[in-house]
Amino acid sequence: MKSTKHVYYILLYIPYLLSVAVRSLPHSSYLIAWFGSFFIFWVCFKGIIKKLPNDLPLFEQLLRPVFFLHVIFAGYMACTSIFYYVNALGYEYFSYVGNRDFLSGDIYKSIALCQRYYVLGHAALAHGIIAGMNDPQEKKYRVYAPSMSNLLLGISVACLPLGYVFSKIGSLNQFSVQLSGLSFVAGSIALAFAIRENKSVNLWASAGLFVLNMMSALSSGFKEPIIICVLLLGVFLLPVYGKKVLPVLIPVLVLLFFVLPTFIGNFRKISSQGTDAITARNKSFDSIFNNDHLSNDLQEDNWAFLTGRLSEISMFITYTQSTPYYIPYYKTNLLKSALQTIVPRVLWPGKPNVEELVMNRVYAARVVDRESIVSAKPAFIVDCYLSYGGIGIWIGLFLYGYVAQNLSALAERMFGGYFMGTAVMFAGLFQILWRGNSFEFVANAVFWSLITMLIFQKVFKARGILYQAS
């Protein structure tokens, strides 16, 4: 067990405490809370409270929760609000253009309040992850695979059609998301291993799977799957090529962030007219490549994306203005609702529609109108706030980090270590934890992902892929 300096946990909460101390100065409070998230990252990655796992080089353990999940979840939750804040100040990129929309005089107080909740949630998340770390894990099993690229390619090829078939069967539909995610991750790692093992057949097959996954992501109408495709491939190639990957990976990710808002906007507009996904995708490509005003459109769409859709602080502000003043805290009701979603519909025919269940609190807070066709599900931290306010955020995010870390550790114990445990199984089955979601969706996905992981362990043991460590 790694030695823990428990008194140093207070370091994680210093940004929140300082931002509360100057809450009468909204701008100062916001900036302290926002910069505070980077301070929390620094405390974690320096190993001040507990030393980071050292059983593997850094580039070979990036998918452990303290790294990948921590950066993606907390970065998206707590750091993206800067664009909304800058926009509220009247800036667009680095130019002052004034406020185009009406903003109330208390907007900066509201932004600062939500950012304080964000940095509190970030501190609790990091606290939970660090508290759950107990490396190195005991290796009860070992993986037998003469060729890792063959094994990974086999997992990917088997899971892809199986996931599709399960999606058409009501009683097995729950497993389709997990199998599709596992197929995607295993296929991406197979591509990296095919390069490492210099196997041309595997290289072409895994590259083909990666392209199929990318094309499917482009037809999803969402930006995240596309970015995750590229990001994961980069993470898996880092152990092969080291820092040589970064000069290519970083510009590609920046380009995607700049182009995708316009592409997805066009895709959704065309799809709303009844066009099928593939046609909408192709027409969206055409609108990008054949646009005489592409540069201006990209800048305008990207700023709207950065200030409105990348950050969810505007919706969080609406929730804090309605609860607990007009709508009381939900207390344990959301947790009870989340536990109910775990029950399969085949066992409970009258089970409530999960989407409608979640959207009811969205409509109640007037985040979106009932006539709107958009889905605006509350983020995990919002559900924590709606349950018990600030204390709900601390409890919920601490448990989130603690559970995520322990699921990763369990996967490593079950599948012989980091690679098959965390990099393949945890990353493939528990992707929802990277970004989070409403209580109901998180509880349902985590429970059935755990069941899927247990099934895979039994299959691997039966096939001789896993054997008892001596």
Side-chain angles (χ1 to χ4, degrees):
M1 178 185 289
K2 294 183 179 299
S3 60
T4 306
K5 301 172 183 176
H6 294 283
V7 70
Y8 285 3
Y9 277 123
I10 191 64
L11 290 173
L12 300 173
Y13 298 96
I14 286 177
Y16 172 70
L17 296 173
L18 288 177
S19 64
V20 170
V22 298
R23 61 185 178 277
S24 60
L25 303 171
H27 296 286
S28 298
S29 183
Y30 170 82
L31 291 172
I32 289 172
W34 187 77
F35 280 110
S37 280
F38 296 95
F39 174 75
I40 293 171
F41 282 132
W42 178 80
V43 169
C44 291
F45 298 150
K46 287 292 289 183
I48 294 174
I49 301 172
K50 183 183 290 187
K51 289 184 179 180
L52 296 175
N54 57 5
D55 55 328
L56 293 169
L58 176 63
F59 284 164
E60 295 182 22
Q61 56 169 316
L62 290 177
L63 287 169
R64 278 178 169 149
V66 70
F67 299 112
F68 197 85
L69 182 149
H70 181 194
V71 171
I72 297 297
F73 186 95
Y76 176 80
M77 174 185 72
C79 301
T80 56
S81 65
I82 190 65
F83 301 106
Y84 184 86
Y85 173 71
V86 169
N87 189 65
L89 291 174
Y91 285 86
E92 185 172 315
Y93 295 107
F94 299 102
S95 303
Y96 182 78
V97 296
N99 289 314
R100 297 179 179 179
D101 301 317
F102 173 76
L103 297 173
S104 67
D106 292 334
I107 185 63
Y108 300 117
K109 291 182 180 178
S110 299
I111 294 173
L113 172 65
C114 289
Q115 194 62 37
R116 289 197 294 272
Y117 283 138
Y118 281 148
V119 78
L120 172 63
H122 186 180
L125 174 77
H127 190 166
I129 292 174
I130 295 172
M133 287 197 307
N134 187 22
D135 299 301
Q137 296 298 318
E138 179 186 358
K139 291 187 178 180
K140 295 182 178 180
Y141 300 95
R142 296 189 183 277
V143 177
Y144 173 73
S147 169
M148 191 57 70
S149 65
N150 285 351
L151 174 60
L152 293 168
L153 196 56
I155 294 172
S156 183
V157 170
C159 289
L160 191 61
L162 203 57
Y164 176 79
V165 171
F166 282 7
S167 69
K168 305 299 181 183
I169 303 173
S171 58
L172 295 175
N173 182 60
Q174 181 59 56
F175 294 101
S176 65
V177 175
Q178 281 77 11
L179 290 172
S180 298
L182 187 57
S183 173
F184 160 62
V185 168
S188 299
I189 309 178
L191 177 57
F193 266 86
I195 295 172
R196 177 184 291 184
E197 295 176 4
N198 197 26
K199 290 193 171 185
S200 57
V201 174
N202 288 20
L203 177 61
W204 284 107
S206 51
L209 278 173
F210 182 81
V211 171
L212 283 175
N213 280 315
M214 180 63 80
M215 297 306 287
S216 175
L218 288 168
S219 302
S220 68
F222 296 97
K223 294 168 287 295
E224 291 85 355
I226 305 166
I227 294 171
I228 290 297
C229 273
V230 176
L231 186 58
L232 277 181
L233 181 61
V235 168
F236 297 140
L237 287 176
L238 274 170
V240 181
Y241 293 107
K243 294 181 180 179
K244 295 177 183 178
V245 174
L246 297 179
V248 177
L249 177 63
I250 293 174
V252 169
L253 288 174
V254 171
L255 180 65
L256 286 175
F257 268 101
F258 201 68
V259 174
L260 281 177
T262 299
F263 173 84
I264 296 299
N266 290 334
F267 178 91
R268 291 177 178 175
K269 186 187 299 182
I270 297 169
S271 296
S272 66
Q273 299 169 357
T275 307
D276 65 273
I278 295 176
T279 304
R281 180 193 67 200
N282 295 337
K283 287 186 176 180
S284 298
F285 276 127
D286 291 338
S287 66
I288 294 288
F289 294 124
N290 300 318
N291 188 344
D292 295 332
H293 307 286
L294 180 60
S295 179
N296 291 334
D297 288 349
L298 288 177
Q299 289 186 43
E300 185 175 331
D301 292 342
N302 194 60
W303 188 248
F305 163 68
L306 292 174
T307 57
R309 299 190 297 278
L310 179 63
S311 171
E312 296 184 350
I313 193 171
S314 61
M315 290 191 287
F316 196 7
I317 289 171
T318 305
Y319 285 111
T320 59
Q321 291 172 341
S322 61
T323 298
Y325 309 106
Y326 305 108
I327 302 170
Y329 289 125
Y330 288 81
K331 297 186 177 178
T332 60
N333 291 335
L334 300 186
L335 181 60
K336 292 175 182 176
S337 175
L339 294 176
Q340 289 177 352
T341 65
I342 294 173
V343 182
R345 193 171 295 277
V346 67
L347 300 179
W348 183 12
K351 177 181 173 181
N353 182 285
V354 180
E355 182 80 18
E356 292 178 2
L357 206 63
V358 173
M359 290 302 291
N360 281 336
R361 56 184 177 272
V362 179
Y363 298 139
R366 298 186 179 182
V367 173
V368 297
D369 189 84
R370 286 185 180 272
E371 302 301 319
S372 174
I373 60 172
V374 302
S375 175
K377 294 183 286 292
F380 189 86
I381 190 173
V382 171
D383 274 353
C384 293
Y385 171 81
L386 292 177
S387 297
Y388 283 103
I391 190 65
I393 289 174
W394 186 85
I395 294 172
L397 269 297
F398 174 85
L399 291 175
Y400 193 99
Y402 189 80
V403 169
Q405 172 58 39
N406 277 278
L407 285 171
S408 171
L410 175 63
E412 293 192 17
R413 290 195 299 272
M414 289 174 61
F415 292 91
Y418 165 81
F419 179 74
M420 189 58 68
T422 290
V424 179
M425 289 297 160
F426 179 76
L429 297 175
F430 296 92
Q431 289 179 27
I432 193 170
L433 293 175
W434 294 345
R435 270 281 310 275
N437 209 316
S438 306
F439 278 6
E440 290 88 345
F441 287 95
V442 170
N444 182 278
V446 167
F447 178 82
W448 289 105
S449 293
L450 181 58
I451 297 300
T452 306
M453 188 166 72
L454 292 170
I455 293 172
F456 265 95
Q457 189 200 37
K458 289 186 178 297
V459 172
F460 280 16
K461 288 165 70 175
R463 302 278 298 179
I465 298 170
L466 279 178
Y467 63 95
Q468 199 84 26
S470 55

